[in-house]
Amino acid sequence: ARRRRKAPPPPPPPPPPPSSSSIPFLSLLLLYTYSSSSPPPPPVAFAVPLSPTPPSPHIRMRRAGFRSYEDYLRHQLNKTLDPRLRRVWATRDWHRKVDAFARAFAALRDDDGGLLSNASRALCVGARLGQEVAALRLVGVRDAVGIDLAPAPPLVVRGDFHAQPFANDTFDFEFSNVFDHALYPDRFVAEIERTLRPGGVAVLHVAVHRRGDKYSANDLLDVQGLVGLFRRSDVIRISKVDAFGLDTEVILRKKRSSP
Ligand SMILES: *[C@@H]1O[C@H](CO)[C@@H](O)[C@H](O)[C@H]1NC(C)=O
Ligand SMILES: *[C@@H]1O[C@H](CO)[C@@H](O)[C@H](O)[C@H]1NC(C)=O
Ligand SMILES: *[C@@H]1O[C@H](CO)[C@@H](O)[C@H](O)[C@H]1NC(C)=O
């Protein structure tokens, strides 16, 4: 769910995605109205208060611009609800992204390591319109859902990745490519570890050494900055990928007996 850096290829004939097939035009209108009136961010109840991530030489925070957590949420929503971007994500981007994600997920499912199966309960963290969720369902992982600050039914429900709206030990598999948007990177990771069941798998696509866009809240300077935040998981592998401007895939498994 992110913009590609290269110039996009000519648009394929776009049947609308499932998420907006019902009333696409009306929902775009509503979104436009919603976003242009600067919506209040969704209320967030933190069971555990947010505290700043301890400084890491591997992560450069870009906190300066935000006066408050609500200010940060509003800034993130500004991109998520941008009507022009949303239209591109829902049309020109849709099949290209879903196909690429589907290939990546099919490869993970066919991997011998038991990373993902059709029976996995899967979560996509920061999924925007849910292209990655659609891809999981397409390859056969039917129990897949996404969260984002703005919902995109039926694929994506409302949820803040700093306070996932799920109980402990819920998912077998979690995917995310929005780590750079985390204002509290350790909390982002702790929430993934909390909602993964023991033995569950996390797959993250990140950019290392590359600056994100103006909506990024952090820059990852070294992949260890991410891996070091996973306190209850083992690294399965780290590999180079070419995934919509992101260059590194990190796969971890939550320890089967974690404290
Ligand atoms: C949101 O976007 C609008 C229009 O692009 C801009 O005027 C506004 O300042 C933005 N607000 C934030 C909080 O970034
Ligand atoms: C998983 O689902 C896909 C798509 O429905 C199907 O082609 C495949 O055979 C299934 N795999 C298993 C092991 O059931
Ligand atoms: C859920 O997990 C967190 C730590 O990840 C723990 O602090 C909390 O007590 C757990 N909650 C329940 C209901 O087990």
Side-chain angles (χ1 to χ4, degrees):
R2 59 167 59 234
R3 225 158 359 129
R4 199 186 171 98
R5 274 134 209 278
K6 286 181 208 141
S19 66
S20 63
S21 58
S22 40
I23 38 169
F25 181 64
L26 183 57
S27 32
L28 282 173
L29 265 182
L30 286 172
L31 281 169
Y32 188 76
T33 316
Y34 187 44
S35 62
S36 58
S37 64
S38 182
V44 182
F46 292 116
V48 180
L50 289 164
S51 52
T53 300
S56 156
H58 304 310
I59 302 179
R60 183 172 47 220
M61 296 308 301
R62 300 202 217 162
R63 202 170 309 230
F66 306 116
R67 288 184 302 270
S68 65
Y69 191 67
E70 287 64 34
D71 195 30
Y72 156 78
L73 291 181
R74 220 171 280 124
H75 184 69
Q76 295 298 322
L77 272 167
N78 217 3
K79 177 171 181 182
T80 297
L81 292 176
D82 182 316
R84 193 186 54 82
L85 286 177
R86 257 180 125 82
R87 208 172 306 122
V88 172
W89 295 333
T91 56
R92 192 173 76 199
D93 247 21
W94 187 264
H95 291 289
R96 180 163 73 80
K97 292 274 182 80
V98 171
D99 290 351
F101 281 128
R103 278 194 300 277
F105 292 136
L108 290 174
R109 190 196 46 201
D110 298 340
D111 185 283
D112 293 335
L115 304 173
L116 176 66
S117 80
N118 283 1
S120 293
R121 186 159 190 206
L123 174 68
C124 298
V125 175
R128 297 237 164 81
L129 294 192
Q131 293 153 339
E132 48 275 71
V133 182
L136 279 165
R137 294 186 183 185
L138 187 68
V139 302
V141 183
R142 288 149 94 176
D143 193 355
V145 71
I147 54 169
D148 211 302
L149 291 173
L155 300 177
V156 179
V157 301
R158 188 193 300 280
D160 181 346
F161 54 52
H162 290 123
Q164 284 191 21
F166 303 108
N168 292 359
D169 306 343
T170 297
F171 296 99
D172 303 301
F173 179 88
E174 295 193 25
F175 171 79
S176 187
N177 62 4
V178 300
F179 177 75
D180 62 303
H181 291 268
L183 188 61
Y184 298 94
D186 60 340
R187 180 63 169 259
F188 176 95
V189 167
E191 281 293 272
I192 290 175
E193 289 193 313
R194 181 181 68 76
T195 58
L196 271 180
R197 67 161 172 80
V201 169
V203 175
L204 284 95
H205 287 176
V206 292
V208 180
H209 295 304
R210 276 204 218 172
R211 286 183 69 82
D213 63 18
K214 69 176 172 134
Y215 293 94
S216 297
N218 72 71
D219 295 303
L220 188 59
L221 308 178
D222 185 302
V223 75
Q224 288 312 316
L226 172 67
V227 168
L229 296 173
F230 280 85
R231 297 186 180 86
R232 305 161 69 187
S233 308
D234 299 312
V235 174
I236 296 182
R237 67 170 180 257
I238 298 173
S239 37
K240 288 289 149 202
V241 290
D242 178 8
F244 309 119
L246 304 179
D247 52 39
T248 304
E249 179 177 78
V250 181
I251 306 182
L252 306 103
R253 189 189 294 280
K254 182 172 167 183
K255 291 183 203 295
R256 293 195 192 268
S257 57
S258 80

